[in-house]
Amino acid sequence: MTPGHARPRDGESGQSRRRCQQSKPGSASRLPCDPDCFRSPAIHLSKLVLSGFRNHVDTKLELGPGITVFCGANGQGKSNLLEAAYLLAIAKSPRTSSGRELVNWAVSEKGGHVQVLGVGREGDTTIQAQVDIDVAAPGAVFEDGDYSPIRKTLRVNGIQRSAAEFVGKLNVVFFEATDLQLVMGGSAERRRFLDILISQTDSGYLKALQRYHQVVYQRNGLLRRVRDGRAGEDELEFWDDRLAVEGAAIIDRRRRVVAELDMFGVEEHRGLTGGQERLGLVYKPKLTHNDDDPAADFASAPADRLSDILSDSLGYLRKRELAQGISLVGPHRDDLLISLNDQAADSYASRGQARSIALALKLAEAASVAAATGRKPVVALDDVMSEFDPARRRLVLERASQYEQVLLTSTEFEVVDQSYLGRAARYTVSAGRVIQA
Amino acid sequence: MVTGDPMSTPDIAPSTAAPVARLIEAFHRLPGIGPKTAQRLTYHLIRMPREQAEELAESILSIKDRIVLCGRCQNVTETPVCAICSDLRRDSTRICAVEEPLDVVSIERTRAFRGQYHVLHGVISPSNGIGPEELKVRELLERLRDGTVQEIIVATNPNLEGEATAMYLQRLISPLGVKVTRLARGLPAGADLEYADDATLAHALEARSEFKTGQ
């Protein structure tokens, strides 16, 4: 199954279908539907404006569909362009959680304003996403008494939005060399991967996740208070219940997306490895008091049973949780198990194999976003080509170029196969300046 | 690092006279007042007639000297028992429990509630070290002793901490034979369905009510 055959959902795809049916009066000679309308809907970034963002003082780019290659030596700012595009999709940087790192050095030192603005185009409609970062001068605070030294404001079509409302307006799937950590790194990397994927397609999920983290934060505080004899154990009841109910909803949502990823990922992986190896993805909720218990019992539990199982686990773990002062079960401790030929990938896979798995996961993410939104996302490949041999590079380009727009960075144009490079838009990036090549 | 510290000093030019700098800093410590506003207020006060400045200073001191918590509802007042608690026309069988004194003002403005209040002075927030002991819960239980009160309306905010507090009060008070109710969560008056967020709309559906005859 390819993203192109994604089932259309409501919203944008519905609109484009309606557009197809309304042939303009007086244009009878035309087909009732433009042939382009038969292509599945897709979004591309038609404009990207960066001011004060990392080393881009003032960069304005008009972008088109197809492949765009940004080439430059390390540290010149080519990756920052892709990072900016991703920031417009998920309201966060893939690299850092600190806003200060995102801003120009001068702004960071003296205070000031940073802006990333992008225009997404989907058929006849455009959407403008904008992230403003204000940095207060050292020692100062904002006029309205906001004490945080850095303030991020999100806007869609000029109207201020919350993160949950902002994320998912522009869909970008971001690949980078460190994606290897998805396979080799800790479980937090994989939870983050799943959370970003779901947030891009389900606006309620980010809110649910924020709520859940607040529950864990307060509950951990209470566990410590109970341990120190400053609160009664009975006060935990409300927080146990919230953790079980909110946690179960998150587990269920992640479980469903993993089933979908497994379907797309296995396919992508087979393509990348020539069918030699078998990838497997399973969501493993940490639900039990005994880590040796097979997760399978819980993995198949119906959604409405999940919260009961979570509650039971909390009961089993009460003493240990009180001793440690932290919540030991729930989606904040879960993992995505990746297997290669039925062996755990983090210990069994070679670096080369891990690289293919990470790439398959990312391609599956793109397919999954396309399936859920009914619209192909923008694909951003940050310096990943150099990691692969020429045959694999062609495969990657072949898979990626099914998407409407591919933004790609590299230290040299040669990593892009001639058959693709000929049609690609080419830019060189040097010291934060972008010049058409 | 000073940046981001609520107590950080605003950028005051070294040449500024000491009393001026002192007042700017004092204003800056107030919630919602940034360095520019603090400066503007200070220079405004310099031009203000002496009587007005005295009145301002005196009124600030008097809230410290004369304001106490009401012996019954814990709201801020200047008499041992506040005006609402001592109003005999008010329904003493119903108590509305709120987080802050300002919430009393909001509910009073509706003129839809004729019972009495109880100000908890906060909500349960274990991570900030606030448990029921830190709230005015014991004082609320005290008021239930003589059996007059039949209903506690919990009007804490509909967020996690507010719900935790509501749940705690319900567990504590229901066994005493006093009815505990919670403010409904739903659509704001005069709102359009299409602009309501999902959670609010879901709650409104869940807490839908049947048409009452005569409405």
Side-chain angles (χ1 to χ4, degrees), chain B residues 103-181:
Chain B
D103 299 329
V104 173
V105 178
S106 301
I107 296 179
E108 275 300 281
R109 226 172 21 223
T110 67
R111 298 168 187 275
F113 180 66
R114 295 300 296 161
Q116 296 178 338
Y117 293 92
H118 191 85
V119 183
L120 296 165
H121 290 274
V123 272
I124 291 174
S125 178
S127 283
N128 297 318
I130 298 171
E133 291 293 301
E134 278 71 30
L135 306 175
K136 303 288 183 189
V137 173
R138 207 176 313 123
E139 290 81 352
L140 177 61
L141 290 181
E142 197 63 36
R143 294 176 71 185
L144 305 181
R145 272 208 180 165
D146 65 1
T148 320
V149 178
Q150 285 158 24
E151 182 183 358
I152 299 285
I153 302 164
V154 184
T156 51
N157 286 323
N159 54 27
L160 196 56
E161 290 76 12
E163 293 299 340
T165 310
M167 177 70 79
Y168 179 83
L169 291 178
Q170 190 253 322
R171 292 276 156 85
L172 198 65
I173 294 167
S174 285
L176 306 177
V178 176
K179 188 161 95 177
V180 180
T181 55

Side-chain angles (χ1 to χ4, degrees), chain A residues 19-97:
Chain A
R19 272 202 307 275
C20 294
Q21 284 150 9
Q22 294 167 350
S23 61
K24 281 185 202 123
S27 61
S29 60
R30 277 184 57 199
L31 287 168
C33 182
D34 193 289
D36 266 3
C37 282
F38 289 117
R39 287 170 46 201
S40 69
I43 194 156
H44 77 269
L45 203 57
S46 62
K47 195 173 174 184
L48 185 62
V49 181
L50 281 63
S51 63
F53 182 79
R54 292 207 187 248
N55 71 341
H56 291 266
V57 177
D58 182 23
T59 295
K60 288 191 184 69
L61 285 173
E62 303 281 341
L63 300 165
I67 299 175
T68 300
V69 185
F70 299 102
C71 197
N74 288 324
Q76 300 303 307
K78 56 189 189 308
S79 296
N80 300 347
L81 294 167
L82 267 52
E83 183 184 21
Y86 198 49
L87 181 70
L88 294 172
I90 67 163
K92 274 192 254 183
S93 158
R95 303 227 167 77
T96 172
S97 52

Side-chain angles (χ1 to χ4, degrees), chain A residues 100 136-145 147-149 203 207 211 214-215 217-218 221-222 225 235 237-239 242, chain B residues 3-4 6 8-9 28 30 32 34-37 40 125-132 134 160-161 163-164 167-168 171:
Chain A
R100 193 166 284 275
V141 291
F142 287 108
E143 180 68 352
D144 60 5
Y147 297 124
S148 63
S203 65
K207 270 192 208 154
R211 225 166 33 230
Q214 184 69 8
V215 171
Y217 172 72
Q218 291 287 16
L222 186 54
R225 279 175 67 83
E235 288 175 43
E237 202 177 328
F238 171 83
W239 303 101
R242 291 328 299 161
Chain B
T3 316
S8 71
T9 47
H28 187 44
L30 300 177
K36 295 253 174 64
T37 306
R40 205 173 304 138
S125 178
S127 283
N128 297 318
I130 298 171
E134 278 71 30
L160 196 56
E161 290 76 12
E163 293 299 340
M167 177 70 79
Y168 179 83
R171 292 276 156 85

Side-chain angles (χ1 to χ4, degrees), chain A residues 257 376 380 437:
Chain A
V257 89
K376 292 175 176 180

Side-chain angles (χ1 to χ4, degrees), chain A residues 394 397 413-424 426:
Chain A
R394 260 196 308 280
L397 281 173
F413 286 117
E414 286 67 44
V415 298
V416 182
D417 194 85
Q418 266 312 318
S419 57
Y420 290 97
L421 191 60
R423 288 175 283 144
R426 279 176 282 181

